[in-house]
Amino acid sequence: MATRPETAKKILLHWMDATIALLGFVFAAHIVSMAAEERISVPVALFALACMTGVLVLYCLILRDAYDDRPLPAVKLAVGALLAAGAVLLPTLHLTDVGMWENIAYIWLASAVLYLPLWATVCLGAGLLTALTVFLTAVTTSPWQTVLVGQLISAPLVPAATWIWCWMWRTIRDAHDSQEAKARLAVSEERLRFARDLHDLLGHSLSVITLKSELAAKMATKDAARAASEMSEVRRLAGESLIEVQLAVDGYRSLDLDVELAGVRAALEAAGARCTIDARAHDLSPAARTLLAWVVREGATNVLKHSRATRCSITIGGGVLEMRNDGVDSPAAGSGSGLRGLAERMVTAGGSFTAESTPTGEFLLTAKVPA
């Protein structure tokens, strides 16, 4: 099925073909009438018709080259120039007045200007106009003023129409390409968002599941009841993770800040890190609370996976969240893809995000949501 630009291109080309065919019919009728009136001989008329037909056919072919932005059709232009000269010069030499098929030269000009810059177009057009005016004035009885006025009317008409037709096609094509580029960008951004969200969803849950599974394995021979309890919690977390992934796929998931804070406290304390929370977020919008919930989740995941923290504090006030822990292994600790994705999420939403080691040996995660 043809795309809209391809359909528009076909319409414009058929429109131009019809226009050229109409001009060719008018020129041919004029040449035939001159031959019928014996103003020119039949061989000259046939020669002029052949040259005119060649120019018009080459014009249509060159126009298609220009639509597709192909290399300069130098051979076609050169042959077209010779045919245009033959169509204009030979019949005119047998007349005493100015005809109309000298406009064939301007049809060739229209095909040439498609590949020329503006200054070259003006120079070529002025040179052709001057040459034709001088030639027609010299071989006919028409005054040069009359010849010049006629040429000034004809010279810009077909080149301007041709340029407008090509400009319309390129504008339609560029607009379509722009729409396609925007669509591809939207798809790429959505894929990135989904990948980031999936990492945020599973990174935290799998870290806790791994921790509890290890704990259950250690307790299996010492405290079977505790091991069974931990495995029951693993099953619950796995089920919740599956539900969250399903919601993420549907695009309808939303995190609750209070629930995330409670879950993070339980996970960190189960890992042996004392967690203190001071959260004042009742005045924040639902969107801002959701953003901070993602920060809390990813921050806790980062602590569980990349540190040996014994204490962690979470403070929320005035739309600013600070999460500190004392388990920094190196200055680059915590600089994984999860935090990079979280930073991208915050910046996209109009907030800010930093995660860095402090001079006191702690790791500080700071996030600010838009008011």
Side-chain angles (χ1 to χ4, degrees), residues 48-68:
L49 284 172
C51 291
M52 179 199 70
T53 302
V55 172
L56 298 182
V57 171
L58 285 173
Y59 170 82
C60 294
L61 296 177
I62 292 172
L63 183 63
R64 282 161 171 76
D65 292 340
Y67 270 58
D68 293 332

Side-chain angles (χ1 to χ4, degrees), residues 318-331:
V320 179
L321 179 149
E322 290 186 355
M323 180 181 288
R324 295 175 181 267
N325 74 82
D326 62 347
V328 179
D329 289 327
S330 65

Side-chain angles (χ1 to χ4, degrees), residues 193-209:
R193 181 200 65 80
F194 181 76
R196 183 177 60 223
D197 291 353
L198 196 60
H199 175 277
D200 294 345
L201 286 167
L202 293 181
H204 173 77
S205 299
L206 293 179
S207 296
V208 177
I209 288 173

Side-chain angles (χ1 to χ4, degrees), residues 20-370:
I20 293 301
L22 178 61
L23 287 176
F25 176 79
V26 173
F27 293 155
H30 186 67
I31 293 174
V32 170
S33 67
M34 294 294 100
E37 296 172 2
E38 297 183 350
R39 297 175 60 186
I40 58 175
S41 64
V42 173
V44 171
L46 293 176
F47 178 81
L49 284 172
C51 291
M52 179 199 70
T53 302
V55 172
L56 298 182
V57 171
L58 285 173
Y59 170 82
C60 294
L61 296 177
I62 292 172
L63 183 63
R64 282 161 171 76
D65 292 340
Y67 270 58
D68 293 332
D69 290 330
R70 294 175 181 172
L72 177 65
V75 175
K76 295 176 184 176
L77 285 172
V79 174
L82 294 175
L83 292 175
V88 173
L89 299 181
L90 186 59
T92 305
L93 290 173
H94 293 77
L95 295 172
T96 58
D97 58 347
V98 177
M100 63 177 297
W101 60 82
E102 59 272 5
N103 292 313
I104 292 293
Y106 297 119
I107 293 179
W108 172 83
L109 175 65
S111 61
V113 298
L114 292 173
Y115 297 90
L116 299 176
L118 180 60
W119 65 268
T121 298
V122 173
C123 292
L124 180 61
L128 185 60
L129 175 67
T130 302
L132 281 176
T133 300
V134 171
F135 172 73
L136 293 174
T137 301
V139 301
T140 66
T141 58
S142 301
W144 69 268
Q145 294 90 344
T146 303
V147 175
L148 180 60
V149 170
Q151 302 306 305
L152 286 174
I153 294 174
S154 303
L157 187 60
V158 179
T162 302
W163 187 88
I164 290 172
W165 262 301
C166 284
W167 175 82
M168 290 174 61
W169 153 244
R170 288 166 183 162
T171 300
I172 294 171
R173 181 191 60 190
D174 292 345
H176 183 266
D177 291 345
S178 176
Q179 290 179 347
E180 285 191 340
K182 289 180 180 178
R184 288 194 297 269
L185 180 60
V187 171
S188 298
E189 290 179 347
E190 183 61 17
R191 287 175 177 172
L192 179 61
R193 181 200 65 80
F194 181 76
R196 183 177 60 223
D197 291 353
L198 196 60
H199 175 277
D200 294 345
L201 286 167
L202 293 181
H204 173 77
S205 299
L206 293 179
S207 296
V208 177
I209 288 173
T210 301
L211 177 66
K212 287 185 173 295
S213 298
E214 292 175 351
L215 180 60
K218 293 178 180 178
M219 300 298 298
T221 57
K222 299 179 181 179
D223 189 344
R226 174 72 183 278
S229 175
E230 292 295 338
M231 289 308 299
S232 177
E233 183 69 9
V234 167
R235 183 176 63 181
R236 183 188 66 81
L237 288 172
E240 290 180 353
S241 298
L242 178 61
I243 293 174
E244 287 179 334
V245 170
Q246 291 172 341
L247 291 175
V249 171
D250 294 334
Y252 296 118
R253 87 278 180 265
S254 177
L255 298 183
D256 183 84
L257 179 59
D258 294 331
V259 173
E260 286 302 314
L261 288 171
V264 164
R265 185 203 296 270
L268 290 175
E269 289 183 349
R274 183 168 59 89
C275 181
T276 59
I277 297 175
D278 180 15
R280 298 182 299 277
H282 60 278
D283 57 340
L284 297 179
S285 65
R289 290 175 60 88
T290 299
L291 280 174
L292 291 183
W294 280 112
V295 175
V296 170
R297 168 171 285 204
E298 182 56 34
T301 301
N302 193 64
V303 173
L304 291 170
K305 292 174 63 177
H306 303 295
S307 76
R308 300 179 304 221
T310 59
R311 66 178 186 274
C312 178
S313 65
I314 302 174
T315 305
I316 302 176
V320 179
L321 179 149
E322 290 186 355
M323 180 181 288
R324 295 175 181 267
N325 74 82
D326 62 347
V328 179
D329 289 327
S330 65
S335 58
S337 60
L339 294 185
R340 287 197 297 270
L342 188 59
E344 293 171 2
R345 182 196 298 274
M346 295 296 297
V347 171
T348 300
S352 61
F353 179 88
T354 58
E356 56 188 1
S357 300
T358 66
T360 59
E362 296 179 317
F363 188 81
L364 173 63
L365 184 152
T366 305
K368 183 177 180 181
V369 294

